[in-house]
């Protein structure tokens, strides 16, 4: 892309389950999310991001993302366990969406056609419950869990 807003390095993350938008952490939802996180079990795994593209948007800035052409079973399992543990508790309009693992790195009015890239790999050994504070460029980590 010729222009856009890059996501600050400390904010780069891979979301496994969108809980909803709240101005402050909702105690009931947070308690449920913490319980769901406590029940997740899986061994550490490797994620390989090997594609780049923009998510579709009719107008305005679209997220530019890195994604995996073959998400690992460990990642899919963590997402499934969290979704099951949070069933009926979120205010997300995306409750029925298929999980599309990705890392958003850019917001731009330019669109990126899906393209293969040199792989970006890392070993996932933990996951976290984070509250992104609306209108601010930071998140509050509520808890981290090691994968086991």
């Amino acid at each position: 892309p010729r222009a856009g807003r890059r996501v600050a390095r400390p904010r780069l993350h891979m979301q496994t389950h969108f809980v909803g938008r709240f101005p402050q952490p909702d105690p009931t939802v947070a308690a449920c999310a913490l319980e769901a996180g406590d029940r997740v079990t899986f061994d550490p795994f490797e994620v390989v991001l090997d594609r780049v593209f923009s998510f579709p948007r009719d107008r305005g800035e679209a997220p530019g993302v890195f994604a995996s052409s073959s998400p690992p079973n460990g990642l899919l399992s963590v997402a499934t366990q969290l979704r099951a543990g949070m069933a009926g508790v979120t205010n997300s309009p995306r409750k029925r969406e298929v999980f599309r693992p990705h890392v958003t790195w850019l917001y731009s009015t330019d669109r990126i056609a899906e393209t293969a890239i040199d792989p970006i790999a890392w070993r996932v050994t933990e996951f976290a419950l984070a509250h992104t504070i609306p209108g601010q460029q930071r998140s509050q980590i509520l808890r981290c869990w090691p994968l086991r």
Side-chain angles (χ1 to χ4, degrees), residues 19 22 25-36 86 89 129 142 145:
V19 175
F22 303 93
D26 177 290
T28 303
V29 174
C32 184
L34 292 168
E35 288 177 26
M86 294 294 299
V89 184
L129 173 62
L142 302 179
W145 293 267

Side-chain angles (χ1 to χ4, degrees), residues 85-108:
M86 294 294 299
V89 184
T90 69
N91 75 356
S92 169
R94 303 184 264 184
K95 289 179 191 173
R96 290 183 172 74
E97 277 190 12
V98 173
F99 175 53
R100 296 179 65 190
H102 65 278
V103 173
T104 301
W105 65 278
L106 176 78
Y107 290 92
S108 177

Side-chain angles (χ1 to χ4, degrees), residues 16-17 32 36 39-40 77-89:
T16 53
H17 182 66
C32 184
R39 290 191 298 272
V40 170
S77 177
V78 168
T80 299
Q81 290 176 67
L82 289 171
R83 182 177 290 234
M86 294 294 299
V89 184

Side-chain angles (χ1 to χ4, degrees), residues 63-138:
V65 302
F66 295 120
S68 176
S69 59
S70 183
N73 288 335
L75 177 60
L76 299 176
S77 177
V78 168
T80 299
Q81 290 176 67
L82 289 171
R83 182 177 290 234
M86 294 294 299
V89 184
T90 69
N91 75 356
S92 169
R94 303 184 264 184
K95 289 179 191 173
R96 290 183 172 74
E97 277 190 12
V98 173
F99 175 53
R100 296 179 65 190
H102 65 278
V103 173
T104 301
W105 65 278
L106 176 78
Y107 290 92
S108 177
T109 54
D110 293 338
R111 301 303 188 254
I112 305 166
E114 186 165 343
T115 307
I117 60 170
D118 289 337
I120 302 167
W122 81 93
R123 186 144 182 84
V124 177
T125 59
E126 67 181 1
F127 69 99
L129 173 62
H131 177 253
T132 300
I133 299 156
Q136 298 183 26
Q137 297 296 314
R138 64 187 184 93

